[in-house]
Amino acid sequence: MRQDEEQRGIGYRWIYGITAGICVAAMEIGVGLLQVGQHYVIIMGLAQGTLVCSLTILCGGMVEWLLAPLPNQEEDENLILHPVRERIREYELAFQTLAGSFSQPQRFSGGRTGQQAAMDTIDKIELLWNNRMEENREAVSQQLLEMAHIMGDTAEHVWELRTDEGSEEVLRKKLRGMGLQVHAALVYEEDNRKKEVYLTLSTRRRKCVAVKDVAAVVSKIMGRSMMPARDSRSFVSGERATVLFLERTNFEILYGVKKAVKRKERISGDNFSVYTRKEGRLLAALSDGMGSGMKAYRESERVIDLLEQFLEAGFSKETAVRMINSALLIHSDAQSFSTIDMCSINLYSGVCEFLKVGASTTFIRRENHVETISSASLPAGVFHQLDLECVSRKLYDGDMVIMVTDGVLDALPAGEQEERMKQMILEYESDSPQEVAEHLLACALECQGRNPSDDMTVLALGMWKR
């Protein structure tokens, strides 16, 4: 369409120019012949007409160029068809269509038209079964919608990803000088994100090179402090290996955990997870299963395992929690639910995002006060419509995040659980997360005579600037 408009503009300029030139030439020739009557007047008239024609075309082009709006880069990019992006967009549309088909209300017929007041046992069973089917259909619909969102996010991620070929070539040359053979060098940088450097290396002459020495070279070339990703190998040998280098984080986290088991039980129904993702985020999650003992343990363990798998696959924490909720609804006929308490700490900026689903209060210990993050939502697995509560807080050097399960607060005097917990946190001045977790659990146990009536877990995370 834009090309057609440009072609029409060029055609109009030529028409205007030729018309103006013919008119000027005719006027000059006619006036010249009447006044002078010499033949050379015809040549002068044609020359003046040609000049006017050219000036009209040129001036028209300049005016159009000056008045034309600036090109919109985003619109131009959207007009470009990328095969991978378009294919993922097709998947996104397909999942949205499937979700719509599953979410359409269905009518079930009982096969009888008798009096509804005389509902017998078969009617009740049929009603419960139909309600269960409706819940499962809605859960499947939510899963398909989440998959559609994931497809859309993936398409944008593929589109926004950029490579730095200049830095890749410099890396190859510098690392060859260290006796390393570079099989592949990739420098990725997504919009508003940190750089990532993937190097596939091996050494020559059967020697070993420390990965930290390679990181120093990468840092110098990239102009920023780089470090190997967690779980990377320490040395590069003659065997080909790929090492990921990330920008060094500004903060580091240490954590401690302490648990207590409900009386007459052998295993706690609480589970937790703490790990760092490659993009520089530390994720801590705490789950309390329904009830106690082995059944509760398996439920909370399943929640933590699914959460880790979804997050490792690149899903957002909101999407992961919604998928877990759908899985709990569909898993079995019996009601099964668990709380989800999660915090995600950006190790570059220090911003911590809290997500709670039926979880207990979280405490943030600062220099001279304690802040609370509370929730009033229901646990996962109760309803297909999940009420997510997300809160963000800025953490600073020396701050500590303390996550607890319901059993810890329930052990404290009724009506003043949070205030009592704040007092216990402020009175204990240790900077060790493990010591803080042990102290808080010991205080909670003393309030119940060291005979816990529920599973208890305290997870403490301390943050320090590098």
Side-chain angles (χ1 to χ4, degrees):
M1 183 179 294
R2 184 176 299 176
Q3 292 179 355
D4 294 340
E5 292 178 354
E6 292 178 354
Q7 292 177 358
R8 286 198 296 268
I10 294 173
Y12 291 151
R13 291 200 298 270
W14 277 96
I15 293 172
Y16 296 153
I18 293 172
T19 303
I22 292 174
C23 292
V24 171
M27 291 174 60
E28 289 294 331
I29 292 171
V31 173
L33 289 175
L34 290 174
Q35 294 179 353
V36 182
Q38 299 294 330
H39 294 290
Y40 74 89
V41 175
I42 299 176
I43 300 175
M44 292 296 296
L46 292 175
Q48 291 182 5
T50 304
L51 178 62
V52 171
C53 176
S54 302
L55 290 175
T56 302
I57 295 173
L58 291 175
C59 291
M62 292 183 64
V63 171
E64 184 178 354
W65 177 74
L66 291 172
L67 297 179
L70 294 176
N72 191 334
Q73 184 176 0
E74 294 182 357
E75 293 181 357
D76 293 342
E77 289 183 355
N78 291 331
L79 292 175
I80 301 175
L81 295 180
H82 191 284
V84 177
R85 191 186 193 192
E86 293 304 312
R87 187 66 175 269
I88 297 177
R89 288 297 189 193
E90 292 176 1
Y91 290 149
E92 179 185 6
L93 181 60
F95 278 112
Q96 289 177 347
T97 304
L98 285 173
S101 63
F102 271 95
S103 62
Q104 291 177 358
Q106 299 291 321
R107 295 184 179 274
F108 296 90
S109 175
R112 295 187 300 275
T113 59
Q115 295 181 353
Q116 296 298 321
M119 180 178 292
D120 54 11
T121 304
I122 297 178
D123 296 325
K124 293 180 180 179
I125 295 175
E126 183 179 359
L127 179 61
L128 293 174
W129 175 255
N130 291 342
N131 291 337
R132 186 65 179 178
M133 288 292 295
E134 287 293 332
E135 291 180 357
N136 289 346
R137 289 175 61 86
E138 186 64 28
V140 172
S141 174
Q142 291 295 324
Q143 285 184 335
L144 293 172
L145 283 177
E146 292 300 331
M147 290 301 300
H149 295 159
I150 292 168
M151 291 296 178
D153 293 340
T154 303
E156 295 304 319
H157 176 78
V158 171
W159 186 251
E160 294 175 358
L161 204 61
R162 301 289 184 269
T163 59
D164 189 347
E165 297 180 357
S167 298
E168 293 173 5
E169 188 60 30
V170 175
L171 280 171
R172 292 176 183 273
K173 293 179 180 179
K174 291 291 184 181
L175 295 177
R176 287 195 194 104
M178 296 177 59
L180 292 170
Q181 185 173 357
V182 183
H183 303 280
L186 298 174
V187 179
Y188 289 119
E189 183 174 14
E190 190 178 352
D191 293 348
N192 302 322
R193 292 187 64 178
K194 306 295 181 179
K195 282 192 175 183
E196 299 178 1
V197 180
Y198 291 83
L199 295 176
T200 303
L201 307 168
S202 64
T203 59
R204 302 171 181 174
R205 301 175 184 177
R206 297 183 180 180
K207 67 176 184 178
C208 293
V209 177
V211 172
K212 65 178 182 179
D213 295 335
V214 180
V217 175
V218 175
S219 300
K220 186 176 180 180
I221 296 174
M222 303 307 298
R224 58 190 74 182
S225 180
M226 307 291 290
M227 66 178 185
R230 288 182 177 270
D231 302 329
S232 296
R233 59 176 60 203
S234 301
F235 293 91
V236 178
S237 61
E239 182 182 356
R240 182 182 302 186
T242 300
V243 182
L244 169 61
F245 296 90
L246 306 169
E247 291 190 34
R248 188 174 299 277
T249 58
N250 298 321
F251 297 93
E252 60 180 350
I253 302 290
L254 296 178
Y255 77 92
V257 64
K258 188 66 176 178
K259 305 175 71 174
V261 182
K262 180 182 177 181
R263 58 176 178 266
K264 297 182 180 180
E265 295 289 353
R266 295 183 178 181
I267 188 170
S268 173
D270 302 338
N271 269 285
F272 76 98
S273 174
V274 179
Y275 70 99
T276 304
R277 297 181 63 178
K278 69 175 186 177
E279 64 267 24
R281 281 188 174 273
L282 181 133
L283 290 165
L286 190 60
S287 179
D288 182 2
M290 180 179 65
S292 61
M294 181 58 69
K295 181 177 181 295
Y297 170 80
R298 288 175 178 172
E299 290 176 355
S300 61
E301 181 186 37
R302 182 174 58 190
V303 169
I304 293 297
D305 288 343
L306 289 174
L307 186 62
E308 290 180 348
Q309 293 173 17
F310 282 130
L311 294 176
E312 285 293 336
F315 295 1
S316 67
K317 56 184 181 299
E318 293 84 2
T319 298
V321 171
R322 290 193 180 97
M323 297 286 281
I324 292 172
N325 182 68
S326 299
L328 292 178
L329 287 171
I330 299 175
H331 179 70
S332 63
D333 294 334
Q335 188 178 24
S336 173
F337 60 82
S338 298
T339 65
I340 302 175
D341 194 0
M342 179 167 47
C343 71
S344 173
I345 305 175
N346 189 319
L347 299 179
Y348 293 101
S349 64
V351 175
C352 181
E353 299 175 353
F354 298 90
L355 189 151
K356 291 179 172 294
V357 182
S360 182
T361 303
T362 296
F363 302 85
I364 303 176
R365 190 187 78 175
R366 303 191 185 274
E367 291 184 356
N368 54 4
H369 71 283
V370 176
E371 184 179 356
T372 59
I373 307 293
S374 301
S375 170
S377 60
L378 293 174
V382 179
F383 297 109
H384 57 266
Q385 292 292 344
L386 196 61
D387 183 18
L388 297 181
E389 297 185 11
C390 300
V391 179
S392 297
R393 292 291 186 272
K394 172 69 174 177
L395 301 181
Y396 300 92
D397 182 30
D399 288 352
M400 188 174 294
V401 177
I402 301 167
M403 306 166 65
V404 299
T405 54
D406 292 335
V408 177
L409 292 183
D410 291 342
L412 303 179
E416 55 183 24
Q417 287 97 338
E418 291 188 7
E419 293 300 324
R420 184 64 179 273
M421 178 62 73
K422 287 183 180 180
Q423 183 180 359
M424 293 189 302
I425 293 173
L426 287 175
E427 289 176 350
Y428 196 69
E429 298 180 354
S430 175
D431 291 330
S432 169
Q434 184 62 41
E435 293 179 359
V436 171
E438 293 175 357
H439 171 75
L440 295 178
L441 185 63
C443 293
L445 288 173
E446 287 181 1
C447 295
Q448 285 195 336
R450 297 193 174 274
N451 193 14
S453 59
D454 195 3
D455 297 322
M456 300 182 181
T457 301
V458 180
L459 176 62
L461 303 103
M463 188 172 77
W464 288 271
K465 196 171 182 63
R466 289 182 179 273

